Amino acid sequence: MDENGYMFYLEPNIPEVNIPGNLTYERFRELMREVDKIIGGGSKYSDDSIVENFSLVPMPYEDALLEYEQFLYEDKITGAYARLYCDYMGIVLAILPVFVAAALANLDKRSRMEQLAYARKISSARLVFTRFLSLIAVMVIPVILTAVIAQTKVNSLYSDCAVDRFAIFRYAVLWLVPNITTASVVGMLITESSSGLLAIFAQGVWWFASVFTSTGGLTGGIGRFTLVMRHNSLIGHDIFYAQWENIVFNRIFFTVVSLLGIALTTFVYEQKRRGMLGGLPFQINLQNFKRQSKA
């Protein structure tokens, strides 16, 4: 701003950098590693990020048009928003259910009703599976409600276009339900065999590793054993479906893991019911932990 109050802008003065013509790619990477080390590591100059950050070129018009047509005709708009919705929800639903599951599995211990529950005629399999279905229902209901809101909002934004009116629901079932079942089973199994505190810690470590150590970043790179799948973009239809086999295997794998976890939880519960498993050597009791901390 000058003395008369008028705004003005100065052109940035970017110094010219002379790059030797004989600089090899290997030497370039060595220099970037040194820069990354000086900064402190984990920067955009690291080996993991250098290709992504220093190999970008403007997208040709033809490619941009193809991407737009995929968004408009293949994704039918809501398919793209469905992936973005599931990306954010998947992060939350890979950790939140373990808290609910641990709390539910710990109710009998808190109220000292374990022995009464053990004496009931209901089978262990039926009791554990009923609790599991209750957990899934509790976590799926908010997903349905938010999916309805998201679908309605997108439909209103593109009221003049032909949209897929059920895309978010389809993506949510395939993408999010395995996250819910897996986190719930971890909470139930470890709480029954040890404690809710250990269940939350174990799932938290797994969740953190899955979210922050993904090789594909925010889009792409969905592996067969990736708990938290990421596709944080409205574009990239071809990138997402290029991994379709991995995605289907991934979701089936975690569904099977959840069923096996429920079977193992039933076994642990049955053993405790018969008095053959009173608690593991590494059992952590939250109340005792609090008492020791106060002492």
Side-chain angles (χ1 to χ4, degrees), residues 35 78 172 194 198 238 252:
V35 173
T78 48
S194 181
L198 185 60
D238 53 341
I252 293 176

PDB file of all heavy atoms in Angstrom, residues 35 78 172 194 198 238 252:
ATOM      1  N   VAL A  35      19.342 -32.091   1.324  1.00  0.00           N
ATOM      2  CA  VAL A  35      18.386 -31.039   1.688  1.00  0.00           C
ATOM      3  C   VAL A  35      17.388 -31.564   2.713  1.00  0.00           C
ATOM      4  O   VAL A  35      17.081 -30.907   3.718  1.00  0.00           O
ATOM      5  CB  VAL A  35      17.654 -30.527   0.435  1.00  0.00           C
ATOM      6  CG1 VAL A  35      16.533 -29.569   0.827  1.00  0.00           C
ATOM      7  CG2 VAL A  35      18.624 -29.849  -0.522  1.00  0.00           C
ATOM      8  N   THR A  78     -22.091 -38.344  -8.455  1.00  0.00           N
ATOM      9  CA  THR A  78     -22.195 -38.806  -7.076  1.00  0.00           C
ATOM     10  C   THR A  78     -21.208 -39.927  -6.764  1.00  0.00           C
ATOM     11  O   THR A  78     -20.850 -40.129  -5.596  1.00  0.00           O
ATOM     12  CB  THR A  78     -23.621 -39.279  -6.767  1.00  0.00           C
ATOM     13  OG1 THR A  78     -24.065 -40.149  -7.821  1.00  0.00           O
ATOM     14  CG2 THR A  78     -24.570 -38.109  -6.661  1.00  0.00           C
ATOM     15  N   ALA A 172     -20.624 -46.927   0.535  1.00  0.00           N
ATOM     16  CA  ALA A 172     -20.545 -47.021   1.994  1.00  0.00           C
ATOM     17  C   ALA A 172     -20.580 -48.471   2.466  1.00  0.00           C
ATOM     18  O   ALA A 172     -19.836 -48.859   3.374  1.00  0.00           O
ATOM     19  CB  ALA A 172     -21.688 -46.227   2.623  1.00  0.00           C
ATOM     20  N   SER A 194      -8.567 -59.603  27.759  1.00  0.00           N
ATOM     21  CA  SER A 194      -7.650 -58.821  28.593  1.00  0.00           C
ATOM     22  C   SER A 194      -8.351 -57.602  29.167  1.00  0.00           C
ATOM     23  O   SER A 194      -8.908 -57.671  30.235  1.00  0.00           O
ATOM     24  CB  SER A 194      -6.431 -58.404  27.769  1.00  0.00           C
ATOM     25  OG  SER A 194      -5.533 -57.681  28.557  1.00  0.00           O
ATOM     26  N   LEU A 198      -6.321 -52.076  26.682  1.00  0.00           N
ATOM     27  CA  LEU A 198      -5.390 -52.693  25.743  1.00  0.00           C
ATOM     28  C   LEU A 198      -5.996 -52.768  24.346  1.00  0.00           C
ATOM     29  O   LEU A 198      -5.290 -52.608  23.347  1.00  0.00           O
ATOM     30  CB  LEU A 198      -5.013 -54.096  26.224  1.00  0.00           C
ATOM     31  CG  LEU A 198      -3.956 -54.835  25.399  1.00  0.00           C
ATOM     32  CD1 LEU A 198      -2.648 -54.051  25.378  1.00  0.00           C
ATOM     33  CD2 LEU A 198      -3.734 -56.240  25.945  1.00  0.00           C
ATOM     34  N   ASP A 238     -10.022 -43.401 -12.988  1.00  0.00           N
ATOM     35  CA  ASP A 238      -9.211 -44.477 -13.551  1.00  0.00           C
ATOM     36  C   ASP A 238      -8.194 -44.995 -12.533  1.00  0.00           C
ATOM     37  O   ASP A 238      -7.905 -46.202 -12.494  1.00  0.00           O
ATOM     38  CB  ASP A 238      -8.499 -43.990 -14.811  1.00  0.00           C
ATOM     39  CG  ASP A 238      -7.710 -42.702 -14.596  1.00  0.00           C
ATOM     40  OD1 ASP A 238      -8.000 -42.002 -13.591  1.00  0.00           O
ATOM     41  OD2 ASP A 238      -6.826 -42.398 -15.410  1.00  0.00           O
ATOM     42  N   ILE A 252     -13.073 -58.043   1.324  1.00  0.00           N
ATOM     43  CA  ILE A 252     -13.437 -59.421   1.656  1.00  0.00           C
ATOM     44  C   ILE A 252     -12.518 -59.954   2.754  1.00  0.00           C
ATOM     45  O   ILE A 252     -12.957 -60.633   3.693  1.00  0.00           O
ATOM     46  CB  ILE A 252     -13.376 -60.324   0.410  1.00  0.00           C
ATOM     47  CG1 ILE A 252     -14.470 -59.922  -0.589  1.00  0.00           C
ATOM     48  CG2 ILE A 252     -13.539 -61.796   0.791  1.00  0.00           C
ATOM     49  CD1 ILE A 252     -14.419 -60.685  -1.890  1.00  0.00           C
TER      50      ILE A 252
END
